[in-house]
Each structure stands twice: as C-alpha cells, then as structure tokens.
Amino acid sequence: MKRAVVFTIVAVVAAAHAQDWPQRPVRIVVPFAAGSSPDILARIVNDKLAARIGQPLIVDNKPGAGGNTGTDQASKSQPDGYTFLLSVNAPLVYNTVLYKNLPYDPFKDLVPVSLAATTPNVCAVSNAMNVDSVKGWLAAMKQNPGKFNFASTGNGSISHLGVELIKLRTNSFAVHIPYASSGQAVTAIIQGDVQYACLPPVTVMPQAKAGRLKALAVTSAERSALLPELPTLRESGLPDIQAVPWFAYMAPKGTPNDVVQRMSREIAVVLKDPETVKRLQTAYFDPVGSTPEALAKFMGEELVRWKPVIQRAGLKPDN
C-alpha cells in the first residue's frame, strides 16, 4: 500500500514538472563555431521550437577539440532541463574510439533526445587538380602519393573518417589537415592549402556553383534528392562507401525523463513543419526526428560500423 502511494506521488510530481517546464530560456550547446552545419541547423529549428515550448532557445557555441569541448561542457551541465546539446557523429560516437582519455562518455554522461537530421557530404576538389570526376580524382591521388592534402572538420569527424575509408579502399595516401569548421576547410581548398575534402553541402555547394571548386560526388548510399546532379561514390566505382553526417539532440544525464520526452516530441513536430522543412532542405538537411530510444539504438549501430574503420586506419587524435 505504501509503495503504491509513493509511485503515485512520483507520477504526480513528474507530470507537474512536465507541465511547468520550461519557466525560463533553454540553452542549446553547439560544440562548433557559428556558421557551422550544426549551428545553422540549431538556428533554423529554434525559430519554431521556441514557439512550441513557450520560451526562447539560446544557441551557445562552444567550439574546440573537434566538438569534444562543447560536448564535454554540456555533459557536465546541471541536468535541470535547461541545457541541451546539438552535436554530431564524432563527439557523440567516434571519439570514444579515437581518444584514450575522452573527458566524457556520451553513452553514460548524456541521454539521447532526438536524431534531428542528416546531410550527405560532398566530395570536392580544388580547381588546380584539373579533374572533373571521381575517377580522375582517384587516379591523380594514386599517381601522386603523398603530394596531396585533404581537409576535414576535425580529427574523427565523418569528413575525416569518410576520406580515410576512401584511402583504405583505394590504397592511396594523402595528408590530413583538420580545421575548426567546414567553412575554414572549404576556404583551404579554394586557396590551395589542401587539394580535396568531403564536407557538408551547405558550405561546399555555394562555392561549387560560383566555380571556385569542383563538386564530384556525394557520400550517401543513394543519390540525394537535394543534390540530384551529383553521383554517389558507389556509382563512381567506390562500393561500400557511406559516410553521412548526422545531428542529434542530447541532454545531460539526470535530466528529468518527462522533459526529455517532451523535448523529443516537440522537435519531431517542428521537423515536420512545412516551413521548417523547406528551410532545412534549402540548407541541404534531411530532417529526421526520432524517439530517444531510436537515437540510442542508432548511436550503438554507428559505433559498431565505424570502430573497425578507425582501428584499421590506425587513427590517433593528432593524425
């Protein structure tokens, strides 16, 4: 009898918490610089999400260490429902393999909220390479081992791992040069500091359309409806290459489950809003929206998929 009373009280308190939340602005930590893909995604979603929850959503950019700095700070934030994280593949999964002393464990110190979106990376080369196809690009790499550099958005990022997988499949070599953001990486291609990269289309395509670099292919398994003119790497003769950036909302461990569930539901509603979908697709995002449970399962699958790649390539935080 006493136990039943306790459970009833807990249920009533949880329901009251869900109804009362939020009472003040909610912080969305983005562990990358302003203008990066997750930053753009957060600001697009925030417009409608703030109206749904009835409080402002404040983007807090905390770049550094390939996303580890901001992700770590978010994991150590007060779990009161007023701090959430919008992060990406590497700091949420891959860096658990890449780094021996990661200051947080995304599988233990954070709780999943929603898989927000995906986007196909675009493999692009500098105009100076004078190639206009994946075949020409790969031939140039094989003929000039060690001559080329490639950019990424950080060690362990999907823009890094995707190229490492290409290198493994083609037995080619190039020097990895990590940058703090996709914008900086694209600029490096244009300036000739690096010769190629596979980066988010939101930064690549405007430069490709302006003729400042050459977009060759997408890294998704199928052609993107947002970039129908670009072939997949598979179509271009590289089977078993799929390296897609994804973006997920997380919360510090201990955040009330009723708040996590409500935030997940509200995000899903916003990601189906026609105006939001249009804005996201204009920025080359494919909106998803998921339950916390589905995101947890997806993260586990990503770890199984990419851990062997990281290990076979012998990747370290400084390479």
Side-chain angles (χ1 to χ4, degrees):
M1 182 69 176
K2 289 182 179 180
R3 181 177 295 179
V5 170
V6 170
F7 285 159
T8 300
I9 292 173
V10 170
V12 170
V13 170
H17 192 283
Q19 291 174 358
D20 292 342
W21 177 88
Q23 295 295 310
R24 63 178 190 270
V26 175
R27 181 171 68 126
I28 307 294
V29 176
V30 173
F32 295 93
S36 62
S37 292
D39 177 75
I40 292 170
L41 174 62
R43 294 177 192 278
I44 291 174
V45 172
N46 278 4
D47 287 349
K48 296 286 186 178
L49 188 56
R52 295 285 309 177
I53 68 173
Q55 287 288 342
L57 288 153
I58 301 170
V59 174
D60 188 5
N61 298 100
K62 297 289 185 182
N68 288 348
T69 299
T71 302
D72 180 43
Q73 289 185 20
S75 74
K76 293 177 171 59
S77 296
Q78 187 72 21
D80 55 6
Y82 290 92
T83 295
F84 288 85
L85 169 74
L86 180 56
S87 196
V88 298
N89 315 43
L92 292 181
V93 174
Y94 311 150
N95 288 355
T96 62
V97 182
L98 188 65
Y99 289 80
K100 289 184 178 180
N101 298 304
L102 199 65
Y104 64 93
D105 185 335
F107 293 94
K108 295 180 179 179
D109 301 330
L110 293 164
V111 293
V113 178
S114 178
L115 179 62
T118 63
T119 187
N121 267 347
V122 174
C123 293
V125 299
S126 70
N127 290 334
M129 283 194 73
N130 197 30
V131 299
D132 57 8
S133 67
V134 171
K135 183 178 180 180
W137 166 41
L138 298 180
M141 283 198 293
K142 286 190 174 183
Q143 292 166 8
N144 300 278
K147 179 180 178 180
F148 300 134
N149 301 328
F150 75 93
S152 81
T153 54
N155 289 302
S157 65
I158 194 65
S159 61
H160 176 201
L161 297 187
V163 174
E164 292 293 347
L165 187 55
I166 291 170
K167 287 165 59 180
L168 282 173
R169 294 283 188 269
T170 60
N171 193 31
S172 59
F173 177 77
V175 178
H176 174 223
I177 309 294
Y179 290 85
S181 70
S182 56
Q184 291 179 10
V186 166
T187 299
I189 297 175
I190 295 169
Q191 293 178 343
D193 298 326
V194 300
Q195 283 66 50
Y196 69 92
C198 296
L199 299 166
V202 69
T203 51
V204 172
M205 294 312 295
Q207 303 299 333
K209 290 176 180 178
R212 298 188 182 97
L213 49 73
K214 180 71 176 181
L216 301 180
V218 292
T219 60
S220 49
E222 306 294 336
R223 284 205 185 206
S224 170
L226 306 177
L227 295 161
E229 72 276 17
L230 293 180
T232 65
L233 289 172
R234 180 184 299 172
E235 289 177 83
S236 305
L238 278 176
D240 303 322
I241 301 288
Q242 182 179 352
V244 177
W246 49 265
F247 309 82
Y249 285 92
M250 308 288 286
K253 181 182 179 181
T255 301
N257 184 59
D258 55 295
V259 172
V260 170
Q261 293 292 338
R262 182 183 170 193
M263 188 67 156
S264 181
R265 291 193 299 271
E266 301 292 7
I267 290 169
V269 170
V270 170
L271 291 174
K272 292 178 182 177
D273 172 73
E275 182 181 342
T276 303
V277 170
K278 183 177 180 180
R279 292 182 63 194
L280 288 171
Q281 290 180 339
T282 298
Y284 303 102
F285 293 108
D286 286 308
V288 181
S290 76
T291 64
E293 295 76 17
L295 174 55
K297 181 175 182 292
F298 175 76
M299 289 172 60
E301 293 169 346
E302 280 286 279
L303 180 60
V304 171
R305 181 179 298 114
W306 285 100
K307 184 175 181 178
V309 175
I310 296 171
Q311 293 174 333
R312 284 200 303 270
L315 301 183
K316 304 295 181 184
D318 58 353
N319 68 357

